[in-house]
Amino acid sequence: MAKKATQAKPQQPFNIIIVGQGGRLQYEAVIFAASLRETSPGFQGRLIVAEPQNGPLWNKDPSMRGGQTRALLEDLGAEIIPFETRHFGSSYPNGNKIEALLAMPEGEPFVFFDTDTLVTGDITSVPFDFARPQASMKRENTWPEIQLYGPGYTATWKSLYDKFGLDFESSLDTSYPDEFWRRYLYFNAGFFYYQCPRAFGQRFLDYALAIRDDAPAELVCQSLDPWLDQVALPLVIHSFGGGYGCLPDGYLDGDVTCHYRFLPLLYARESDHAVEVLERVTAPNPVKKVLKNHDAMKFMIYHGRGRKVRDLFDRDDLPRKEQAIRNRIRRNGYWMR
């Protein structure tokens, strides 16, 4: 895999897209916007907060609640763009990241981030090649779950490549042996990028719906909830000529961004620098006034519970599995989301 470049070439303009949904995500969007503004003052693109609109596929209104959050996001430089939910909604909220792309500016390079991401370095230093997409390598072997008498990794993934007329062999990382999960193209959907959000989004939607509604027989024992986006994503990336090694290591999910997932996990396992950035960008009174409306942020950041979580772990000797980290936090009564 490619190593981090020592010098980044000048970056072409690009937009950043996150989803702002009512509840926890709208407050995470504030943290994202505040950290981007703090750490990347040279960013010249648009920060777009994609907001799902209410409709028949939602059990309750998914749009952001209260005017304070919206006003603060705009003060932090974000632009709020609404989008309609036509295919997923409450049955699969992860589908927001797919449907939001169809409402984004056509033909403008973009990077999508999960909202639970902290920007910890200069985003303009990242040497994106927007013609060769990639997604987050911060993943575990979560899908497929191989059954004792079912198809293996090769048969499962090949059935999907065949379904969409894609070349399976060229997607493989042959430095790993057959039937080892890292041999097969698989990403976390915490970030991804391309040169046009609508082209990427339409193919992402087409593939995801085809897998959901008419999966190959090899997937009969596999769950697609919540994995549907991560099953379709490598196929989309491969179809556009992307894959492993298109983005040098060490920038995203490294020096420049931190996909923390939940605040207790950030305090438990992320760097001192990430914690320092989080606490610095959430300290100003206008930000604090909004974030205190969310209990996890109020107690973790402002009441010191996050620091207590941090004291439970040695960052140089963390449990190998995330579930073990979560369990220790829960046993001590500090888990919040």
Side-chain angles (χ1 to χ4, degrees), residues 15 21 54 63 69 112 135 142 204 206 212 238 299 304 312:
N15 301 324
Q21 185 170 337
N54 199 17
S63 59
T69 301
F112 175 92
T142 47
F204 204 173
D206 292 344
R212 183 192 71 180
H238 185 64
F299 287 102
L312 297 175

Side-chain angles (χ1 to χ4, degrees), residues 294-305:
H294 188 265
D295 281 349
M297 295 179 183
K298 177 171 70 175
F299 287 102
M300 284 287 154
I301 299 172
Y302 301 113
H303 290 190
R305 190 171 294 182

Side-chain angles (χ1 to χ4, degrees), residues 2 37 69 127 151 169 224 233 239 254 256 262 290 293 312 320:
R37 185 174 186 176
T69 301
E169 295 297 328
L224 293 172
L233 184 58
S239 76
V256 176
F262 299 105
V290 168
N293 290 314
L312 297 175
R320 189 171 61 88

Side-chain angles (χ1 to χ4, degrees), residues 26-334:
Q26 72 184 63
Y27 300 109
E28 291 173 349
V30 168
I31 294 176
F32 185 97
S35 63
L36 176 68
R37 185 174 186 176
E38 169 77 15
T39 60
S40 305
F43 176 66
Q44 298 297 312
R46 299 158 72 181
L47 169 58
I48 298 173
V49 178
E51 182 184 28
Q53 301 300 288
N54 199 17
L57 297 182
W58 292 103
N59 295 332
K60 62 179 181 179
D61 188 348
S63 59
M64 291 187 288
R65 306 179 188 114
Q68 282 187 326
T69 301
R70 190 181 301 272
L72 178 58
L73 284 169
E74 291 173 346
D75 287 345
L76 291 169
E79 177 181 350
I80 301 169
I81 294 182
F83 70 91
E84 299 297 326
T85 302
R86 296 186 172 91
H87 302 281
F88 296 109
S90 295
S91 66
Y92 189 65
N94 286 9
N96 277 342
K97 68 179 64 177
I98 302 173
E99 297 199 71
L101 298 177
L102 301 177
M104 297 301 108
E106 188 169 10
E108 296 184 11
F110 76 97
V111 187
F112 175 92
F113 287 103
D114 272 353
T115 316
D116 49 4
T117 299
L118 183 73
V119 186
T120 55
D122 184 2
I123 200 74
T124 66
S125 71
V126 182
F128 295 108
D129 179 353
F130 288 102
R132 300 180 65 228
Q134 188 178 310
S136 172
M137 299 290 287
K138 190 176 181 181
R139 80 279 195 235
E140 296 178 343
N141 57 329
T142 47
W143 195 93
E145 291 189 359
I146 302 303
Q147 307 300 313
L148 183 59
Y149 297 109
Y153 285 101
T154 295
T156 302
W157 279 113
K158 188 176 186 303
S159 72
L160 289 164
Y161 283 80
D162 289 347
K163 179 177 179 65
F164 299 109
L166 303 173
D167 181 66
F168 174 65
E169 295 297 328
S170 62
S171 74
L172 300 175
D173 184 345
T174 55
S175 66
Y176 293 103
D178 192 41
E179 293 302 317
F180 182 63
W181 71 273
R182 291 184 184 272
R183 181 180 177 89
Y184 309 91
L185 206 59
Y186 188 58
F187 300 103
N188 184 291
F191 78 78
F192 51 85
Y193 61 87
Y194 189 55
Q195 57 194 1
C196 175
R198 294 195 190 180
F200 195 96
Q202 187 61 59
R203 191 166 298 177
F204 204 173
L205 177 65
D206 292 344
Y207 284 11
L209 292 177
I211 295 167
R212 183 192 71 180
D213 299 337
D214 185 27
E218 287 81 355
L219 271 64
V220 67
C221 294
Q222 297 297 331
S223 173
L224 293 172
D225 189 2
W227 313 116
L228 179 60
D229 59 333
Q230 293 190 181
V231 176
L233 184 58
L235 305 169
V236 177
I237 285 175
H238 185 64
S239 76
F240 282 120
Y244 294 155
C246 295
L247 183 69
D249 293 345
Y251 290 95
L252 303 188
D253 297 328
D255 293 342
V256 176
T257 63
C258 168
H259 185 200
Y260 58 87
R261 309 265 317 282
F262 299 105
L263 284 176
L265 293 178
L266 188 157
Y267 277 101
R269 66 187 180 186
E270 303 299 344
S271 68
D272 290 344
H273 175 66
V275 172
E276 188 272 328
V277 170
L278 171 71
E279 295 185 344
R280 185 171 74 245
V281 304
T282 58
N285 282 331
V287 177
K288 184 186 300 185
K289 185 176 181 181
V290 168
L291 295 187
K292 278 191 169 183
N293 290 314
H294 188 265
D295 281 349
M297 295 179 183
K298 177 171 70 175
F299 287 102
M300 284 287 154
I301 299 172
Y302 301 113
H303 290 190
R305 190 171 294 182
R307 291 290 178 169
K308 293 179 180 178
V309 169
R310 197 159 182 80
D311 289 342
L312 297 175
F313 296 91
D314 176 358
R315 253 65 57 195
D316 295 324
D317 188 25
L318 288 169
R320 189 171 61 88
K321 290 287 189 179
E322 180 182 301
Q323 192 58 50
I325 298 175
R326 291 178 180 232
N327 290 343
R328 187 182 300 178
I329 297 171
R330 284 194 177 95
R331 282 198 303 271
N332 285 272
Y334 295 142

